[in-house]
């Protein structure tokens, strides 16, 4: 069964450093998303991406964040200068539709720890 | 903006039935989804209701009442493996008609006891 994959599973970085989180969405999906989940809290939407551009972004997704689809398979989230409060689980998701029923398939997540 | 309310924790025994409620406030409504998340795992899709009524998928059912801005997830014949967090979610109406991003509730932690 096709699945979303993410690398790395765990990333530890120093405050102020740049990190790139990588995702490979399901191959025939057209819509891509990043969410984050701070430990013990709810899943929060960051950004959605379609047709090589950002569709929507939340207030969390400020200038420190960027997304890219550098080739036909990868979808990346870059955090330019990490802060302690960026420590969270980051989930990538993809869906085929963005209509009335867009079941989103989530990857296993990348746990980001900022020291 | 959107807001969703669901209980923070529920405890039940194996074989029992449990109902997890969700009330929502949205500026536009495009359906209510339910996701399951085991500790340390990714959210996985369980069900989706766009119209009023009950949707059944095996041991799990989901109900929606749009007039009451209310839905619930019903889990029957509980098993230990059902211990997880359950999130209700609505989709936000974005700019340009985009309807993709999910807004999640805070989740209900279900503990199934033997």
């Amino acid at each position: 069964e096709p699945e979303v994959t993410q690398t790395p599973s765990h990333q530890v970085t120093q405050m102020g450093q740049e990190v790139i989180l990588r995702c490979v969405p399901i191959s025939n999906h057209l819509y891509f998303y990043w969410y984050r989940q701070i430990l013990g809290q709810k899943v929060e939407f960051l950004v959605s991406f379609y047709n090589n551009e950002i569709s929507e972004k939340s207030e969390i997704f400020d200038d420190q964040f960027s997304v890219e689809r550098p080739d036909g398979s990868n979808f990346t989230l870059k955090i330019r200068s990490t802060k302690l409060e960026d420590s969270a689980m980051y989930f990538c998701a993809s869906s085929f539709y963005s209509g009335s029923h867009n079941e989103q398939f989530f990857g296993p997540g990348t746990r980001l720890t900022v020291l | 903006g959107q807001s969703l309310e669901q209980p923070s924790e529920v405890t039940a025994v194996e074989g029992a039935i449990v109902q997890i409620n969700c009330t929502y406030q949205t500026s536009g409504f495009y359906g209510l989804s339910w996701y399951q998340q085991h500790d340390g795992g990714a959210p996985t899709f369980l069900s989706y209701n766009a119209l009023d009524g009950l949707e059944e998928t095996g041991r799990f059912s989901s109900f929606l009442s749009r007039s009451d801005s209310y839905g619930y997830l019903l889990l029957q014949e509980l098993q230990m493996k059902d211990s997880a967090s359950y999130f209700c979610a609505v989709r936000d109406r974005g700019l340009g008609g985009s309807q993709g991003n999910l807004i999640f509730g805070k989740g209900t932690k279900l503990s199934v006891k033997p």
Side-chain angles (χ1 to χ4, degrees), chain A residues 18-86:
Chain A
E18 174 183 287
V19 294
I20 298 176
L21 310 183
R22 302 180 192 281
C23 169
V24 179
I26 293 173
S27 62
N28 66 338
H29 283 185
L30 304 175
Y31 299 86
F32 314 117
Y33 315 86
W34 283 101
Y35 295 85
R36 80 170 186 192
Q37 186 177 34
I38 295 170
L39 187 64
Q41 298 187 24
K42 66 178 179 178
V43 178
E44 299 174 291
F45 167 74
L46 292 178
V47 66
S48 59
F49 193 86
Y50 169 71
N51 199 26
N52 286 318
E53 60 183 24
I54 290 174
S55 305
E56 298 296 335
K57 58 183 180 180
S58 71
E59 293 174 352
I60 302 168
F61 194 88
D62 60 22
D63 292 343
Q64 299 253 79
F65 292 88
S66 62
V67 289
E68 196 176 35
R69 189 155 163 81
D71 53 43
S73 60
N74 289 284
F75 180 50
T76 63
L77 174 71
K78 182 191 292 187
I79 309 175
R80 196 177 356 265
S81 177
T82 50
K83 304 187 288 284
L84 294 177
E85 54 265 37
D86 293 328

Side-chain angles (χ1 to χ4, degrees), chain A residues 33 35 37 42-43 45 55-56 89 91 98-104 106-108, chain B residues 30 35 37 41-43 45 48 87 91 94-95 98-102 104-106:
Chain A
Y33 315 86
Y35 295 85
Q37 186 177 34
K42 66 178 179 178
V43 178
F45 167 74
S55 305
E56 298 296 335
M89 189 73 119
F91 292 105
S98 178
S100 59
H101 180 187
N102 69 331
E103 176 183 346
Q104 294 187 15
F106 283 74
Chain B
Y30 303 97
Y35 282 76
Q37 186 181 33
F45 174 82
Y48 171 79
F87 295 86
R91 287 189 300 107
L95 300 174
S98 164
Q99 299 172 10
N101 36 293
L102 290 168
F104 285 83
K106 293 184 178 180

Side-chain angles (χ1 to χ4, degrees), chain B residues 4-8 20-23 34 86-88 105-108:
Chain B
L4 300 100
E5 295 292 330
Q6 53 182 130
S8 58
I20 299 173
N21 298 321
C22 175
T23 57
W34 288 92
Y86 293 84
F87 295 86
C88 57
K106 293 184 178 180
T108 298

